[in-house]
Amino acid sequence: MLTVYLAGQIHDDWRKQFKEKASALELPLTFVGPMENHDRSDNIGEEILGKQPNPVLKDEAASKFNNLRTQVLLNKSDVVIALFGEKYKQWNSAMDAATAIALQKPLILIRPESLHHPLKEISEKAQVTVETMDQALQALAYIFEDN
Amino acid sequence: MLTVYLAGQIHDDWRKQFKEKASALELPLTFVGPMENHDRSDNIGEEILGKQPNPVLKDEAASKFNNLRTQVLLNKSDVVIALFGEKYKQWNSAMDAATAIALQKPLILIRPESLHHPLKEISEKAQVTVETMDQALQALAYIFEDN
Amino acid sequence: MLTVYLAGQIHDDWRKQFKEKASALELPLTFVGPMENHDRSDNIGEEILGKQPNPVLKDEAASKFNNLRTQVLLNKSDVVIALFGEKYKQWNSAMDAATAIALQKPLILIRPESLHHPLKEISEKAQVTVETMDQALQALAYIFEDN
Amino acid sequence: MLTVYLAGQIHDDWRKQFKEKASALELPLTFVGPMENHDRSDNIGEEILGKQPNPVLKDEAASKFNNLRTQVLLNKSDVVIALFGEKYKQWNSAMDAATAIALQKPLILIRPESLHHPLKEISEKAQVTVETMDQALQALAYIFEDN
Amino acid sequence: MLTVYLAGQIHDDWRKQFKEKASALELPLTFVGPMENHDRSDNIGEEILGKQPNPVLKDEAASKFNNLRTQVLLNKSDVVIALFGEKYKQWNSAMDAATAIALQKPLILIRPESLHHPLKEISEKAQVTVETMDQALQALAYIFEDN
Amino acid sequence: MLTVYLAGQIHDDWRKQFKEKASALELPLTFVGPMENHDRSDNIGEEILGKQPNPVLKDEAASKFNNLRTQVLLNKSDVVIALFGEKYKQWNSAMDAATAIALQKPLILIRPESLHHPLKEISEKAQVTVETMDQALQALAYIFEDN
Amino acid sequence: MLTVYLAGQIHDDWRKQFKEKASALELPLTFVGPMENHDRSDNIGEEILGKQPNPVLKDEAASKFNNLRTQVLLNKSDVVIALFGEKYKQWNSAMDAATAIALQKPLILIRPESLHHPLKEISEKAQVTVETMDQALQALAYIFEDN
Amino acid sequence: MLTVYLAGQIHDDWRKQFKEKASALELPLTFVGPMENHDRSDNIGEEILGKQPNPVLKDEAASKFNNLRTQVLLNKSDVVIALFGEKYKQWNSAMDAATAIALQKPLILIRPESLHHPLKEISEKAQVTVETMDQALQALAYIFEDN
């Protein structure tokens, strides 16, 4: 049983799709990841700590709770998957990917070929770079594959 | 399932309250922490090793058993919560908080706003600083929150 | 004497300006950083290994030599500064910043306030976030300041 | 040649005295430590970042630059000395002491006997606990003593 | 219950034999290891990523997925066994063995005496060097042996 | 549930007594330790590898299997207890104790007061030093004690 | 100034050539590496410890001194270069390469293209793989290259 | 230039002899080690802290300063040599040897063959075991030997 952290953009339901595909393959995987409700993620600081003096401080407050969640769940993971998409080029996904590498946890990078240039250094540090969720699932399945 | 070490003052029953609140929220948490019986904590050295030559040595003996307990249980934890209160400004709570940070375990600091000045360096190293137990529970709940 | 790695965008001469300012302040600092000649950085793979079969592989080859340089010099550094600008939102700068944090090297983040939202998680992990090079220099100078 | 970080209270000139005594003994020591100008230490956040919205944020800003200085210089140290006094019971000194221990750097604790009870857990984790600066210097001298 | 990674050559069914012997001894062991289907191992890169431009790149692609599997499963292991045989002198087995040692995981090396010279440095770093699978099983059994 | 490694002399049945006492107290402990059958421990090298050329090599062979067992089981432990007695002053017990300390696992040292002088440096590094098995059990019980 | 460990085969004078080329380029490099005198390397055990009972023990004795040298010098290095050649397919070179990777020291692998298949897993873990000494030197020079 | 910690018994002038031999060989070595004046080592606690209540506490006080010296100097070392002799079978030498191993610093063990049995586990963990100081010096010289 492996725990997989699903880093990357939170603007569509790719994690839901990914989990369903993994479930169909009956892989012994548990998935964790960041808050996917974008508004909740942006507002969590003020929701817990109350109104902040300005937008920078609202962001800072939110990021503390988001980083708490990420740090706890990344520490628990055996593999990290980071998905980058055409539209959402989040720096915090790059941070999560680099943190995984520095912690010696293997990283699977999913990105469209069109992003190969700006992601080349992260790709080179990833254990595996693929273009689709299905390829990432094949990589995970290969870990468990009997002979 | 996460294990949470409850560091901080041991002069009231805040840990009991905290556990009850967590239980009401049905969070998958296990709590550990220091000896909360203050007399037992102060006397444990002499209770196990016998009468010591003077008060400093009585304290030294007690601190060994208290540190044994803390080290074992802190090593087992995923998150550390440290509560500081108006009346009890324990240095050993600061030590537990700093140890958690150095071990790369996320720290949630609970302190009244009135203590912001003397606790500013610890607060800045904590992953999250809040003022109430309810806010700390919201932070823990956020780790498990589904989307 | 401290060694400072200057991560971040390589599209203008900010490192040259930064070094001149540091020199004027007579701070005991040595600076290292990535290849700043953008073409050289993009072509280094083919320049050493020869023509690659396609652009993705050209990028992969280049990134290997860029990562070699970064890894060696980051390992030698005491402090990392990462500068993000309006125009160039490089993921590899985020990776360098996160790597520094994971290696427990303090990070000074320089970014315009306009970027506070997308950089909020990295900012929260940085030891210090400032908006200008002069502020970053003041932070470095503060380390050496006599009383 | 060893580097010694002088943690602890910053309300009198004990570091100046300590350095003079070490110098008189011709010990091969370099000393580093926190900002000792209390006002400068409290205001450094606003001096670099400008006026903050409220006192808590002023403190938070200051603590970032103080922690930057501490982290860089503590990383460079071979031994840490923490002095606690009757009047100034700073939590951040306890944090620095605990950080040294967690980094496996030996700690010399200086405290008056009257503080033995509240400092007992830190004292037990310190490599050595003494009551005076002269005793701490004897401990440092012992490291270099020829036979 | 211990997890044992079975590194080494993949050209015969020694792992199957080893697991059967362990099972007969009722040792509380779980076994993991590399892909043993040689063709699958060589082709996995192209099977997931598609046709590569040349044989070197085909190999590079395959090695990424093989290394992903190894890294995940080696991280999970308590003991590593590496078997070297007369015919198959794989460098990647030496790499797996050395990685185990560097991660402070004990290594049991199985090799025929005829290979003692080229394997002498690895043998010296292994916790135990034996010549047969039965001896390696005795070593594992000894860990659990009651008195 | 904690795992406790019982290091120290193997010339009487103190481990059996210790486990029975722990069992009577219903402490949630699992015990591991070295081979206690002295002949088996001395001969294990030749029993697995066959007759060795001389007594030094017989010892070297035995020590490899004993160290394999110790390394695997010590890695799994949360606490280490090392018992030293009047008659058996084993250096390997000192090695196990020091290894535990270096791995940041808390050590409980049991030794008669008569051995205080030769064991003073190890005692000072131990988390707790006691004179009897009952005191060590009280120390373990204190970790679990409710308030 | 960087220290470079030159791992790999010791059957020709490639290290001498490499150092001369580096010297001609005036790179600020210090080189270390294994004993290159093959006979000395094979006999060092008996030269220091005296005649051993059999060839396996002669090898074991030699490997201890060779590993001592490698461990000390590898610990001091910033970069490791491993050269593999057609004729000499040493497992200990693979071990040195893997040890460098596990210690997070960047590895430059030099191997003829003809060896790409058996070295594919090590190549994939290396920071850079090249085919000639000149390419490896260009990689080292790139680390120091000004803009 | 390497730093060598000379652990082991302090009852004769073997360190002086060893340094003279190293000096005659012009090896680039710096030596550090424990206090060799036995009385000074036993009394250092009371000399700095004053009269202690009983002999156990006198020993405990002394051991703190001895361990401070050892920890600082061992941290600075590249290689550790531990000499065990017929007469003085110190447990703290075993502790220093084991600490070196756990810190991944190579250990050279010097012991007469007559002690092979009680030292077999430490010997097996040492990088090299020899019987004389001259052999240990040859091992150190081999690290620097040109080809």
Side-chain angles (χ1 to χ4, degrees):
Chain A
M1 175 62 73
L2 299 176
T3 300
V4 182
Y5 188 91
L6 298 173
Q9 53 99 335
I10 60 171
H11 298 80
D12 63 28
D13 68 345
W14 74 270
R15 284 178 187 79
K16 184 160 165 288
Q17 293 174 47
F18 197 86
K19 289 173 197 173
E20 285 167 5
K21 284 166 184 276
S23 176
L25 291 170
E26 299 187 352
L27 296 173
L29 299 172
T30 304
F31 294 100
V32 292
M35 168 54 56
E36 292 172 66
N37 179 326
H38 201 178
D39 285 347
R40 178 78 170 144
S41 164
D42 278 358
N43 297 327
I44 184 66
E46 293 200 333
E47 282 166 17
I48 294 182
L49 296 177
K51 185 73 182 161
Q52 298 297 303
N54 61 47
V56 172
L57 289 164
K58 178 189 166 183
D59 277 356
E60 188 175 307
S63 69
K64 286 177 197 285
F65 295 96
N66 288 324
N67 282 350
L68 171 68
R69 178 170 170 149
T70 300
Q71 187 181 355
V72 170
L73 298 179
L74 206 61
N75 279 354
K76 289 284 193 192
S77 302
D78 301 301
V79 185
V80 174
I81 292 179
L83 179 144
F84 287 77
E86 287 290 357
K87 265 169 74 185
Y88 308 104
K89 303 181 180 174
Q90 297 171 309
W91 278 315
N92 59 338
S93 301
M95 181 176 79
D96 292 347
T99 302
I101 293 161
L103 295 175
Q104 310 223 26
K105 293 179 191 281
L107 173 72
I108 299 173
L109 178 68
I110 311 177
R111 59 109 187 83
E113 192 181 314
S114 55
L115 290 181
H116 73 81
H117 189 70
L119 282 169
K120 65 181 186 296
E121 278 83 14
I122 295 179
S123 171
E124 199 276 322
K125 288 220 176 182
Q127 187 56 70
V128 173
T129 298
V130 298
E131 293 181 24
T132 67
M133 286 196 282
D134 285 325
Q135 290 172 323
L137 277 163
Q138 285 177 276
L140 289 173
Y142 185 65
I143 297 171
F144 300 103
E145 204 171 300
D146 244 347
N147 303 290
Chain B
M1 174 63 73
L2 299 177
T3 300
V4 182
Y5 187 91
L6 297 173
Q9 54 97 337
I10 60 170
H11 298 80
D12 63 28
D13 69 345
W14 74 271
R15 284 178 188 78
K16 183 159 164 290
Q17 293 173 47
F18 197 85
K19 290 173 198 172
E20 284 168 5
K21 285 166 184 275
S23 176
L25 291 171
E26 298 188 351
L27 295 174
L29 299 172
T30 304
F31 293 100
V32 292
M35 167 55 55
E36 292 172 64
N37 179 326
H38 200 178
D39 285 346
R40 177 79 170 145
S41 164
D42 277 358
N43 298 327
I44 184 67
E46 292 200 334
E47 281 166 16
I48 294 181
L49 297 177
K51 185 73 181 162
Q52 298 298 304
N54 60 47
V56 171
L57 289 163
K58 178 189 166 183
D59 277 356
E60 188 175 308
S63 68
K64 286 177 198 283
F65 295 95
N66 288 324
N67 282 351
L68 171 69
R69 178 171 170 148
T70 300
Q71 187 181 355
V72 171
L73 298 178
L74 206 61
N75 279 353
K76 288 285 193 192
S77 303
D78 301 300
V79 185
V80 174
I81 292 179
L83 180 144
F84 287 78
E86 287 289 358
K87 266 168 74 185
Y88 309 104
K89 302 178 181 177
Q90 298 171 308
W91 278 315
N92 60 338
S93 301
M95 180 177 78
D96 292 347
T99 303
I101 293 161
L103 296 174
Q104 310 223 27
K105 293 180 192 279
L107 173 72
I108 299 174
L109 178 67
I110 311 178
R111 57 110 188 84
E113 193 182 312
S114 55
L115 290 180
H116 73 82
H117 189 69
L119 282 169
K120 65 182 185 297
E121 277 83 14
I122 295 179
S123 171
E124 199 276 325
K125 287 220 174 183
Q127 186 55 68
V128 174
T129 297
V130 298
E131 293 180 24
T132 67
M133 286 197 282
D134 285 325
Q135 289 172 323
L137 277 164
Q138 286 177 277
L140 289 173
Y142 185 65
I143 297 171
F144 299 105
E145 202 171 301
D146 245 346
N147 303 289
Chain C
M1 173 64 72
L2 299 177
T3 300
V4 182
Y5 188 91
L6 297 173
Q9 55 98 335
I10 60 170
H11 298 80
D12 63 30
D13 68 345
W14 74 270
R15 284 179 188 78
K16 183 159 166 288
Q17 294 174 48
F18 197 86
K19 289 172 196 173
E20 284 168 4
K21 285 166 184 277
S23 177
L25 291 170
E26 299 188 349
L27 295 174
L29 299 172
T30 304
F31 293 100
V32 291
M35 169 53 56
E36 292 171 66
N37 179 326
H38 201 178
D39 286 347
R40 178 75 170 147
S41 164
D42 276 358
N43 298 326
I44 184 65
E46 293 200 333
E47 282 166 15
I48 293 181
L49 298 177
K51 186 73 183 162
Q52 298 298 303
N54 61 46
V56 172
L57 290 164
K58 178 189 167 183
D59 277 354
E60 187 174 307
S63 68
K64 286 177 197 284
F65 295 95
N66 288 324
N67 282 350
L68 171 68
R69 178 172 170 147
T70 300
Q71 188 182 353
V72 170
L73 298 179
L74 206 60
N75 279 354
K76 288 285 194 191
S77 303
D78 302 300
V79 185
V80 174
I81 292 179
L83 179 144
F84 287 78
E86 286 291 357
K87 266 168 74 183
Y88 307 105
K89 303 180 181 175
Q90 298 171 307
W91 278 315
N92 59 338
S93 301
M95 181 176 78
D96 292 347
T99 303
I101 293 160
L103 295 175
Q104 310 223 25
K105 293 179 191 281
L107 174 72
I108 300 173
L109 177 67
I110 311 177
R111 58 110 186 83
E113 193 182 312
S114 54
L115 290 181
H116 73 81
H117 188 70
L119 282 169
K120 66 181 185 296
E121 278 82 14
I122 295 180
S123 171
E124 199 276 323
K125 288 220 174 182
Q127 186 55 69
V128 174
T129 297
V130 298
E131 292 180 26
T132 68
M133 286 197 282
D134 285 325
Q135 290 172 324
L137 276 164
Q138 286 177 275
L140 289 173
Y142 185 65
I143 297 171
F144 299 104
E145 204 172 301
D146 244 347
N147 303 291
Chain D
M1 175 63 73
L2 299 177
T3 300
V4 182
Y5 188 91
L6 297 172
Q9 54 97 335
I10 61 171
H11 298 81
D12 62 31
D13 69 345
W14 74 270
R15 284 178 188 79
K16 185 160 163 289
Q17 294 173 46
F18 197 86
K19 289 174 198 172
E20 285 167 4
K21 285 167 185 276
S23 177
L25 292 170
E26 298 188 350
L27 296 174
L29 299 172
T30 304
F31 293 100
V32 292
M35 167 54 57
E36 292 172 65
N37 179 326
H38 200 177
D39 285 346
R40 177 77 170 146
S41 165
D42 277 358
N43 297 326
I44 184 67
E46 292 200 334
E47 282 167 16
I48 294 181
L49 297 176
K51 185 73 184 162
Q52 299 298 303
N54 61 46
V56 172
L57 290 163
K58 178 190 166 180
D59 277 354
E60 186 174 310
S63 68
K64 286 177 197 284
F65 295 96
N66 288 324
N67 282 349
L68 171 68
R69 179 171 170 148
T70 299
Q71 188 181 356
V72 170
L73 297 178
L74 206 60
N75 279 353
K76 288 284 194 192
S77 303
D78 302 300
V79 186
V80 174
I81 291 179
L83 180 145
F84 287 77
E86 287 289 0
K87 264 169 75 185
Y88 309 104
K89 304 182 180 174
Q90 298 172 308
W91 278 315
N92 60 337
S93 300
M95 180 176 78
D96 292 348
T99 303
I101 293 160
L103 295 174
Q104 311 222 24
K105 293 180 191 280
L107 174 71
I108 298 173
L109 178 67
I110 310 177
R111 58 110 186 83
E113 193 182 312
S114 54
L115 289 181
H116 74 80
H117 188 70
L119 281 168
K120 66 181 186 296
E121 278 83 14
I122 295 179
S123 171
E124 199 277 321
K125 287 219 175 184
Q127 187 55 70
V128 174
T129 297
V130 298
E131 292 180 26
T132 68
M133 285 197 282
D134 285 324
Q135 290 173 323
L137 276 163
Q138 285 176 278
L140 289 173
Y142 185 65
I143 297 171
F144 299 104
E145 204 172 300
D146 244 347
N147 304 291
Chain E
M1 174 63 72
L2 299 176
T3 300
V4 182
Y5 188 91
L6 297 173
Q9 54 98 336
I10 60 171
H11 298 80
D12 62 29
D13 68 346
W14 73 271
R15 285 178 187 77
K16 185 161 165 287
Q17 294 173 47
F18 197 85
K19 290 173 197 171
E20 285 168 4
K21 285 166 184 277
S23 177
L25 292 170
E26 298 188 351
L27 296 173
L29 299 172
T30 305
F31 293 100
V32 293
M35 167 54 57
E36 292 172 64
N37 179 327
H38 200 178
D39 285 346
R40 178 75 170 146
S41 165
D42 277 357
N43 298 327
I44 184 67
E46 293 200 333
E47 282 167 15
I48 293 181
L49 296 177
K51 185 73 182 163
Q52 298 297 304
N54 61 47
V56 172
L57 290 164
K58 178 189 167 182
D59 278 354
E60 187 175 309
S63 68
K64 286 177 197 283
F65 295 95
N66 288 323
N67 282 350
L68 171 69
R69 178 170 169 148
T70 300
Q71 187 181 355
V72 170
L73 298 179
L74 206 61
N75 279 354
K76 288 285 193 192
S77 303
D78 301 301
V79 186
V80 173
I81 292 179
L83 180 144
F84 287 77
E86 287 289 358
K87 266 168 74 185
Y88 308 105
K89 303 179 181 177
Q90 297 171 309
W91 278 316
N92 60 338
S93 301
M95 180 177 79
D96 292 347
T99 303
I101 293 161
L103 296 174
Q104 311 222 26
K105 293 179 192 281
L107 174 72
I108 298 173
L109 178 68
I110 310 177
R111 57 110 187 84
E113 192 181 313
S114 54
L115 290 181
H116 73 82
H117 188 70
L119 282 168
K120 67 180 185 297
E121 278 82 14
I122 295 180
S123 171
E124 198 276 324
K125 288 221 175 183
Q127 186 55 68
V128 174
T129 297
V130 298
E131 292 181 25
T132 68
M133 285 197 283
D134 285 324
Q135 290 172 322
L137 277 163
Q138 286 176 276
L140 289 173
Y142 185 64
I143 297 171
F144 299 104
E145 204 171 300
D146 245 346
N147 302 291
Chain F
M1 174 63 73
L2 299 176
T3 301
V4 182
Y5 188 91
L6 297 173
Q9 54 97 335
I10 60 170
H11 298 80
D12 64 28
D13 68 345
W14 73 271
R15 284 178 187 78
K16 184 160 164 289
Q17 293 173 47
F18 196 86
K19 289 173 197 172
E20 285 168 4
K21 285 166 184 277
S23 177
L25 291 170
E26 298 188 352
L27 296 174
L29 299 172
T30 304
F31 293 100
V32 292
M35 168 53 57
E36 292 172 66
N37 179 325
H38 200 180
D39 285 346
R40 177 78 170 144
S41 165
D42 277 358
N43 298 327
I44 184 68
E46 292 200 334
E47 281 167 17
I48 294 182
L49 297 178
K51 185 73 182 162
Q52 298 298 304
N54 61 47
V56 172
L57 289 164
K58 178 189 166 182
D59 277 355
E60 188 174 308
S63 68
K64 287 177 197 284
F65 295 95
N66 288 323
N67 282 350
L68 171 68
R69 178 170 170 149
T70 300
Q71 188 181 356
V72 170
L73 298 179
L74 206 61
N75 279 353
K76 288 285 193 193
S77 303
D78 301 301
V79 185
V80 174
I81 291 179
L83 180 144
F84 287 77
E86 287 290 358
K87 265 170 73 186
Y88 309 105
K89 303 180 180 175
Q90 298 171 308
W91 278 316
N92 60 338
S93 300
M95 181 176 79
D96 292 346
T99 303
I101 293 161
L103 295 174
Q104 311 221 26
K105 293 181 192 278
L107 173 71
I108 298 173
L109 178 67
I110 310 177
R111 57 111 187 82
E113 193 182 314
S114 55
L115 290 180
H116 74 81
H117 189 70
L119 282 167
K120 66 181 185 297
E121 278 83 14
I122 295 179
S123 171
E124 199 276 323
K125 287 220 175 183
Q127 188 55 70
V128 174
T129 297
V130 299
E131 293 180 25
T132 68
M133 286 197 282
D134 284 326
Q135 290 172 323
L137 276 163
Q138 284 177 277
L140 289 173
Y142 186 64
I143 297 171
F144 300 104
E145 202 171 301
D146 244 347
N147 302 290
Chain G
M1 174 63 73
L2 299 176
T3 300
V4 182
Y5 188 91
L6 297 173
Q9 54 97 335
I10 60 171
H11 298 80
D12 63 29
D13 68 345
W14 74 270
R15 284 178 188 78
K16 184 158 164 290
Q17 294 173 46
F18 197 86
K19 289 172 197 173
E20 285 168 4
K21 285 166 185 275
S23 177
L25 291 170
E26 299 188 348
L27 295 173
L29 298 173
T30 304
F31 293 100
V32 292
M35 168 54 56
E36 292 171 67
N37 179 326
H38 200 179
D39 285 346
R40 177 77 170 146
S41 164
D42 277 358
N43 298 327
I44 184 66
E46 293 199 334
E47 283 166 15
I48 294 181
L49 297 177
K51 186 73 183 161
Q52 298 298 304
N54 61 46
V56 172
L57 289 164
K58 178 190 167 182
D59 277 354
E60 187 174 308
S63 69
K64 286 177 197 285
F65 295 95
N66 288 323
N67 282 350
L68 171 69
R69 178 171 170 148
T70 300
Q71 188 182 354
V72 170
L73 298 179
L74 206 61
N75 279 354
K76 289 285 193 192
S77 303
D78 302 301
V79 185
V80 174
I81 292 179
L83 180 145
F84 287 77
E86 286 290 359
K87 266 169 73 185
Y88 308 104
K89 303 180 180 176
Q90 298 171 308
W91 278 316
N92 60 338
S93 301
M95 180 177 78
D96 292 347
T99 303
I101 293 160
L103 295 174
Q104 310 222 26
K105 293 180 191 279
L107 174 72
I108 299 174
L109 178 67
I110 310 178
R111 58 108 186 86
E113 193 182 313
S114 54
L115 290 181
H116 73 80
H117 188 70
L119 281 169
K120 65 182 187 295
E121 278 82 14
I122 295 179
S123 171
E124 198 276 322
K125 287 220 174 183
Q127 186 56 71
V128 173
T129 296
V130 298
E131 292 179 26
T132 68
M133 286 196 281
D134 285 325
Q135 290 172 324
L137 277 163
Q138 286 177 275
L140 288 172
Y142 185 65
I143 297 171
F144 299 103
E145 204 171 301
D146 244 347
N147 303 290
Chain H
M1 175 62 73
L2 299 176
T3 301
V4 182
Y5 188 92
L6 297 172
Q9 54 96 334
I10 60 171
H11 298 81
D12 62 30
D13 68 345
W14 74 270
R15 285 177 187 79
K16 185 161 164 287
Q17 293 173 47
F18 196 85
K19 289 173 198 172
E20 284 167 4
K21 285 166 185 274
S23 177
L25 292 170
E26 298 188 349
L27 295 174
L29 299 173
T30 304
F31 293 100
V32 292
M35 168 54 57
E36 293 171 65
N37 179 326
H38 201 178
D39 285 345
R40 177 78 170 145
S41 165
D42 277 357
N43 297 327
I44 183 66
E46 292 200 334
E47 282 166 16
I48 293 182
L49 297 177
K51 186 74 183 161
Q52 298 298 304
N54 61 46
V56 172
L57 289 163
K58 178 190 167 183
D59 277 355
E60 186 174 310
S63 68
K64 286 176 197 286
F65 294 95
N66 288 324
N67 282 351
L68 171 67
R69 179 171 169 146
T70 301
Q71 188 181 354
V72 170
L73 298 179
L74 206 61
N75 279 354
K76 288 285 193 191
S77 304
D78 301 301
V79 185
V80 174
I81 291 179
L83 180 145
F84 287 77
E86 287 289 0
K87 265 169 72 185
Y88 309 104
K89 303 181 180 175
Q90 298 171 309
W91 278 316
N92 60 337
S93 301
M95 179 176 79
D96 292 348
T99 303
I101 294 161
L103 295 175
Q104 310 222 24
K105 292 179 192 280
L107 173 71
I108 298 173
L109 178 67
I110 310 177
R111 58 110 185 84
E113 193 182 313
S114 54
L115 290 181
H116 73 80
H117 188 70
L119 281 169
K120 66 182 187 294
E121 277 83 14
I122 295 179
S123 171
E124 198 275 324
K125 286 220 175 185
Q127 187 55 70
V128 173
T129 297
V130 298
E131 293 179 26
T132 67
M133 286 197 281
D134 285 325
Q135 290 173 323
L137 277 163
Q138 285 176 277
L140 289 173
Y142 185 65
I143 296 171
F144 299 103
E145 204 171 299
D146 245 347
N147 303 290

